[in-house]
Amino acid sequence: MNAFGAGQTSGAGASTAPMAPRAEGGGSSLMMFVRQLHEGRIGSLDIRWAVDVAAVAMIILTATGIFLSIRTLAAGRRRKQKRMTPAPETT
C-alpha cells in the first residue's frame, strides 16, 4: 500500500507515482460527465445511438479526407510533370 491507501501494480507500464484516493460514487462533475458519456448516457437519457452515429460520421469524414488528399496530391504531381516537359517546337 502507498501513502494514499491504494495498492500499486507492478509490471510493464506500471506507474511509480502514488495513486490519488478514489471517492466512492463521487468525483468532480466533469469526471462524472465524461464517465456518463463513456457509458453512453447523459443523466437518465440513453445516447448510445448518438455515440454510434458520431463514430460513423467520423469514419466517413476520415475516408473522404483521405480520398480528397490523394486527388489533390495526384493533381499537383501531374501539374508539376506538365511544367517539366518541354513544349513541342513548331516550324
Side-chain angles (χ1 to χ4, degrees), residues 87-91:
E89 295 182 27
T90 57
T91 53

Side-chain angles (χ1 to χ4, degrees), residues 3 9-10 15 17 32-33 41 48 57 60 63 77 81:
T9 59
S10 62
S15 173
M32 288 173 59
F33 180 72
R41 61 184 166 86
R48 282 182 281 189
I60 291 170
R77 196 176 317 116
Q81 286 176 352

Side-chain angles (χ1 to χ4, degrees), residues 53-79:
V53 169
V56 169
M58 285 187 260
I59 291 169
I60 291 170
L61 287 171
T62 301
T64 56
I66 291 170
F67 174 74
L68 291 173
S69 294
I70 290 171
R71 273 185 55 185
T72 304
L73 290 171
R77 196 176 317 116
R78 283 191 302 266
R79 202 176 316 119

